[in-house]
Amino acid sequence: MELKSAAEIEAMREAGRVVARALAAVRAQAAVGVRLVELDQTARSVLAEAGATSPFLGYQPSFADLPFPAVICASVNDAALHGIPTRYKLADGDLLSVDCGATLHGWTGDAAISFTVGTPRPADVALIEAAEKALAAGIAAAVPGGRLGDISAAIGAVARAAGYGLHTDFGGHGVGHTMHESPSVPNDGKPGRGLKLAAGLVIAIEPWFMAGGRDSYRLDDDGWTLRSGDGSRAAHVEHTVAITADGPRILTAL
Ligand code: MG
Ligand code: MG
């Protein structure tokens, strides 16, 4: 686990800004009838114009049979994470989660947003708001002297209070020169436990909740797309955050 200097955090902020711009462009474009591959093309353009590369494209962790083929993950409805942008056309009322990363001058940012397309279902709006509330609570706990478990517990408490399902697989993680570094930041845990948080630690915090209230998930045959086990809708939001003496600093905000 590596602590970053103030100058390194500034450099990571520039990478994070590229991620924020890509996500904003995708969100602005997403509408009924737009294909997921078109959203990926938009994100590719934003990264290319910034001189950034994608830590997603070609990524192949041990669980995946195939390298990831895109620069965004586009997860629709019951898909929570790692959806491959296909030629699927967005339909009225879809819940879309988009995850994007960028590497600029050797530093990486990683963030995700969830939103509805067309006419929103109230239940989807509530699910997204809960995930965003959990992200904010996790970020608020990312302070020097705190513990990693404080972040995890803050996220888990929001999901449990709302009756949503969650899983500690595929949670947050350290971020630096590469996308996935130590420590891992699970989406549930006990306060006061785990690694002591220090200024200079940069982590991605990324709650993903499942509306049905069950904690299980399943993987598609494509080896990537992770869906809720009960078929209920899911939402995923993420920021890369630097822990500083002045408190948490969101590096992937616009
Ligand atoms: Mg991500
Ligand atoms: Mg991440």
Side-chain angles (χ1 to χ4, degrees):
M1 194 193 63
E2 181 185 278
L3 299 179
K4 278 78 175 177
S5 69
E8 289 171 331
I9 290 171
E10 286 307 323
M12 292 192 73
R13 171 67 177 129
E14 292 312 308
R17 247 187 256 280
V18 177
V19 177
R21 285 206 298 270
L23 287 173
V26 165
R27 184 169 193 159
Q29 184 187 15
V32 174
V34 173
R35 296 184 190 276
L36 301 179
V37 283
E38 297 176 81
L39 302 179
D40 185 59
Q41 283 302 328
T42 293
R44 283 177 194 244
S45 297
V46 173
L47 266 59
E49 278 165 26
T53 56
S54 170
F56 288 23
L57 188 64
Y59 186 59
Q60 190 170 14
S62 54
F63 69 84
D65 294 335
L66 296 169
F68 197 76
V71 309
I72 61 167
C73 302
S75 305
V76 180
N77 296 339
D78 64 315
L81 301 173
H82 307 160
I84 293 173
T86 61
R87 288 182 55 76
Y88 174 79
K89 270 187 188 175
L90 288 167
D92 190 46
D94 276 350
L95 193 175
L96 177 61
S97 299
V98 182
D99 197 338
C100 186
T103 302
L104 183 70
H105 305 312
W107 294 101
T108 295
D110 183 15
I113 56 174
S114 286
F115 55 92
T116 58
V117 175
T119 315
R121 297 185 186 185
D124 291 345
V125 174
L127 178 67
I128 293 166
E129 284 177 356
E132 289 173 344
K133 184 179 167 191
L135 176 58
I139 292 171
V143 292
R147 298 273 181 174
L148 202 61
D150 299 343
I151 299 172
S152 301
I155 292 168
V158 173
R160 298 304 178 200
Y164 294 132
L166 85 169
H167 202 290
T168 50
D169 286 356
F170 302 104
H173 48 88
V175 185
H177 291 299
T178 62
M179 182 166 57
H180 290 140
E181 300 187 352
S182 287
S184 75
V185 186
N187 281 332
D188 202 4
K190 292 195 167 73
R193 301 281 184 87
L195 177 79
K196 194 164 186 181
L197 304 175
L201 182 64
V202 178
I203 51 175
I205 300 175
E206 51 179 310
W208 57 279
F209 293 171
M210 298 176 284
R214 307 243 176 148
D215 295 341
S216 62
Y217 66 84
R218 63 186 178 83
L219 269 188
D220 272 7
D221 290 341
D222 67 19
W224 277 103
T225 310
L226 189 155
R227 297 182 188 276
S228 67
D230 59 6
S232 67
R233 292 190 167 195
H236 172 225
V237 293
E238 175 180 26
H239 271 306
T240 298
V241 177
I243 294 169
T244 79
D246 300 326
R249 181 175 176 201
I250 300 173
L251 302 182
T252 42
L254 261 184

